[in-house]
Amino acid sequence: MASIEVDGRIALIDVGLTFPDAEHFGIDLILPDWRRLRERPDGVHCAVITHGHEDHMGALPFFLREFPSVPVYGTKLTLALIAAKLEEHPDITPDLREVEAGERLQTGPFDIEFVGVTHSIPDGMAVAFHTPHGVVLHSGDFKLDQTPIDGRPTDLPHLAQLGDAGVTLLLADSTNAETPGHVPSESRIGRTLREVFEGAQGRLIVTTFASHVHRVQQVIDASVEAGRKVCFVGRSMARNMPIARDIGYLHYDDGDVVELEEVTGTDRERVVIICTGSQGEPYAALSLMAAGQHRQISLQEGDTVVMASSVIPGNESAIYRTINGLYRQGAQVVHRGIADVHVSGHAAADELKFFHNIVRASAFVPVHGEYRHLLAHARIARETGTPPDQVLVCEDGDTVILANGRVRKGERFEPGRVYVDGLGVGDVGNAVLRERGKLSEEGICVAVVQTDQHSRIIDEPRVFQQGVIYEREQGDLLDEAAKVLREALDAAGHGDGDPAAVRRTVSSALGRYWHDRTGRRPVILPILVEV
């Protein structure tokens, strides 16, 4: 999520989310922190969504609850996916405005031009803002596939026109800046799929992202060629594919598709299941199949699973666990490591050099990617002629000021993150996550102490635990802990009516005890019961 501000008005570029890592205990989604926008809600003029991936538009339902009147601009497929997502939020009435690649519009102080780009989802676009201080071009996610499935490559002539007219500041996708060479064309995946399908004897299962319409199209084409019908499995897959078909981005006949209920009655060699779960998500269709827990689909010896997707950093262990489970079920697994079943949707280093030489921007800020990717992209910009002092490597919370054709860093702010935990949005912070992490690593000890109204101890304290020791074999430690706690309370001589002092004594005494006896520091929870 980025913003462009002109004359006190703000245009947003993407409103995406990210997904939790292993240390985000219990968190479902992570949103940008738009606290600064909340301070000036009337200043937010519009949002431009570059494409329909979750990390670029997934936070819109939460954003539009706070900013319901902000119009959202996007291409046909992008808005269709947004509309489908917002159906789950009937309290939101969005203002969705369709634009096309090549279009230019004026809204408020913003003169915006849209450029078609190729990515791993159709209908992606770069966005150029014509401002009083120069043109700001944001690439969105892109690659330079010259033979894309839909025949719509990145619009290099349009980019060249912008470059000829003069681009002052470029912000461009850095995800593959460390990867040398060029990204292979998406069209090569079709050849591999046909070879795999021709040699497959049992049931075929293909997993990919539910937004990867081009990949799904190639799976459908290979299935039909092999005489197999397809079945869409997984909530997002079953939702997105009919949407893409209805607006002309996916092509198949009704007779080529079977419903999940029909799969069990269809010959195993006559069906291809296209499903979600490529990242080892615990409750996704593929993960359930790998564990033998899917209610309608069971794998057998001789079945083939094609994992036509990338490995998102951080998901490796979950993905490998899924692959091992698939093998245990008897299936053969075809993945990127052994066959050409995936290509990236992001431009590699040589493509980025070509892109920079076309745009010829006066200043550059790398975006999208980890810090090492930003540094690699900054080197590419300098190598292709951008003045070193006009290449700024920024992180979340940095501001960039463009004035009179030159850029410099402005005042930094704390960007923050907003955690979604169930129905709670923003009620879980870093302190809560640290506590959850400690609970997961060290366990919890609960001490129940009965007191009178003067905080005098009137009965033996009781100590309970979860995750600290194996109680069946080490239960004597709890009795010893209760004894140590009683001695500490007696020595402290509580009776001044200060419950907080009792809690501090409980926490310090039990904390020392568990560390001395086990080397662990569990969360101590004192409970005072006044009798």
Side-chain angles (χ1 to χ4, degrees):
M1 183 178 186
S3 67
I4 301 283
E5 182 172 346
V6 177
D7 294 338
R9 304 292 289 169
I10 298 171
L12 302 175
I13 304 173
D14 293 331
V15 185
L17 54 75
T18 189
F19 294 97
D21 294 324
E23 69 268 20
H24 296 119
F25 302 95
I27 300 301
D28 300 312
L29 303 170
I30 303 174
L31 312 178
D33 184 354
W34 44 73
R35 192 170 24 185
R36 281 171 64 93
L37 300 178
R38 197 177 292 126
E39 295 169 358
R40 42 188 299 198
D42 294 336
V44 183
H45 183 79
C46 67
V48 178
I49 308 301
T50 59
H51 62 280
H53 278 152
E54 288 288 313
D55 57 333
H56 292 259
M57 62 84 169
L60 272 173
F62 304 93
F63 176 80
L64 292 176
R65 280 207 188 101
E66 293 193 51
F67 303 89
S69 61
V70 172
V72 177
Y73 292 91
T75 52
K76 180 183 290 188
L77 179 61
T78 301
L79 293 188
L81 295 177
I82 291 172
K85 174 179 283 292
L86 290 175
E87 286 179 1
E88 303 172 8
H89 304 267
D91 55 317
I92 298 173
T93 305
D95 180 2
L96 304 181
R97 304 185 184 184
E98 184 179 327
V99 295
E100 295 182 356
E103 184 178 344
R104 182 169 175 174
L105 65 85
Q106 182 80 39
T107 172
F110 298 102
D111 181 357
I112 311 175
E113 191 170 356
F114 304 99
V115 184
V117 298
T118 302
H119 184 40
S120 54
I121 185 174
D123 243 4
M125 60 182 182
V127 186
F129 291 82
H130 298 264
T131 80
H133 290 269
V135 174
V136 180
L137 174 63
H138 192 295
S139 74
D141 284 354
F142 80 101
K143 62 178 179 176
L144 301 183
D145 189 343
Q146 299 305 298
T147 56
I149 300 304
D150 60 2
R152 300 168 65 180
T154 294
D155 195 344
L156 296 177
H158 194 165
L159 290 169
Q161 288 176 0
L162 287 169
D164 291 342
V167 172
T168 308
L169 172 60
L170 171 66
L171 300 94
D173 179 10
S174 309
T175 307
N176 270 347
E178 283 189 324
T179 305
H182 296 76
V183 173
S185 173
E186 175 69 26
S187 59
R188 72 185 291 176
I189 304 301
R191 295 192 292 271
T192 304
L193 290 173
R194 287 193 293 272
E195 292 172 2
V196 172
F197 286 18
E198 287 171 4
Q201 299 300 315
R203 180 177 285 164
L204 271 163
I205 297 96
V206 181
T207 179
T208 189
F209 298 113
S211 61
H212 208 329
V213 176
H214 293 155
R215 187 71 45 81
V216 172
Q217 182 68 69
Q218 294 192 93
V219 174
I220 293 173
D221 293 344
S223 301
V224 173
E225 190 174 316
R228 294 177 181 249
K229 296 182 181 297
V230 299
C231 176
F232 301 122
V233 177
R235 184 162 168 256
S236 54
M237 187 71 71
R239 179 191 67 191
N240 289 358
M241 294 310 110
I243 292 173
R245 182 198 185 197
D246 289 345
I247 59 178
Y249 288 91
L250 191 66
H251 305 281
Y252 59 86
D253 295 330
D254 290 338
D256 297 331
V257 178
V258 294
E259 298 299 324
L260 180 57
E261 295 75 19
E262 304 173 63
V263 167
T264 53
T266 303
D267 184 75
R268 301 184 75 84
E269 297 186 359
R270 304 289 294 175
V271 68
V272 175
I273 294 167
I274 307 175
C275 68
T276 55
S278 63
Q279 300 304 304
E281 302 93 326
Y283 298 106
L286 189 69
S287 299
L288 294 174
M289 293 180 208
Q293 296 175 351
H294 198 284
R295 288 180 297 177
Q296 291 140 305
I297 301 172
S298 59
L299 298 176
Q300 295 181 6
E301 194 80 29
D303 290 344
T304 300
V305 177
V306 180
M307 302 189 73
S309 59
S310 62
V311 176
I312 295 177
N315 294 345
E316 292 88 351
S317 60
I319 293 171
Y320 297 142
R321 182 168 58 248
T322 297
I323 292 175
N324 284 328
L326 294 170
Y327 277 119
R328 287 193 180 95
Q329 298 296 323
Q332 294 299 310
V333 183
V334 180
H335 54 81
R336 188 182 186 183
I338 59 177
D340 290 332
V341 291
H342 176 74
V343 295
S344 176
H346 303 270
D350 285 352
E351 294 171 277
L352 292 174
K353 292 175 183 177
F354 185 63
F355 182 81
H356 279 267
N357 282 324
I358 287 177
V359 174
R360 304 189 303 281
S362 303
F364 176 63
V365 174
V367 294
H368 300 172
E370 298 178 16
Y371 195 72
R372 58 192 174 92
H373 302 137
L374 304 183
L375 290 177
H377 201 173
R379 286 194 297 271
I380 290 173
R382 290 190 290 267
E383 290 171 0
T384 53
T386 307
D389 68 328
Q390 290 295 283
V391 177
L392 305 182
V393 177
C394 300
E395 297 184 89
D396 289 350
D398 284 335
T399 62
V400 175
I401 297 174
L402 169 61
N404 301 317
R406 294 186 64 79
V407 297
R408 59 181 173 85
K409 283 192 178 182
E411 182 181 352
R412 179 172 169 78
F413 66 93
E414 275 304 317
R417 288 183 163 194
V418 176
Y419 300 107
V420 179
D421 182 358
L423 298 177
V425 179
D427 57 352
V428 174
N430 290 325
V432 174
L433 289 180
R434 284 195 296 271
E435 287 292 323
R436 291 180 178 181
K438 189 174 181 182
L439 284 169
S440 74
E441 295 169 357
E442 307 284 359
I444 184 172
C445 174
V446 179
V448 179
V449 180
Q450 292 188 9
T451 68
D452 62 14
Q453 59 182 345
H454 300 294
S455 296
R456 288 190 292 260
I457 312 303
I458 60 174
D459 199 355
E460 294 297 320
R462 291 178 292 166
V463 178
F464 309 90
Q465 64 82 37
Q466 287 291 323
V468 185
I469 58 173
Y470 183 44
E471 197 165 323
R472 184 176 297 176
E473 296 180 0
Q474 298 174 288
D476 57 315
L477 290 178
L478 291 179
D479 297 333
E480 185 180 342
K483 181 180 178 182
V484 168
L485 177 57
R486 180 58 193 254
E487 292 173 353
L489 291 169
D490 289 344
H494 292 298
D496 57 0
D498 185 3
V502 178
R503 292 190 180 93
R504 286 194 296 270
T505 300
V506 172
S507 295
S508 61
L510 289 178
R512 285 194 303 271
Y513 171 78
W514 287 118
H515 184 260
D516 291 344
R517 295 303 307 271
T518 68
R520 304 182 185 116
R521 296 185 182 276
V523 174
I524 308 297
L525 182 61
I527 298 178
L528 272 58
V529 179
E530 185 177 318
V531 178

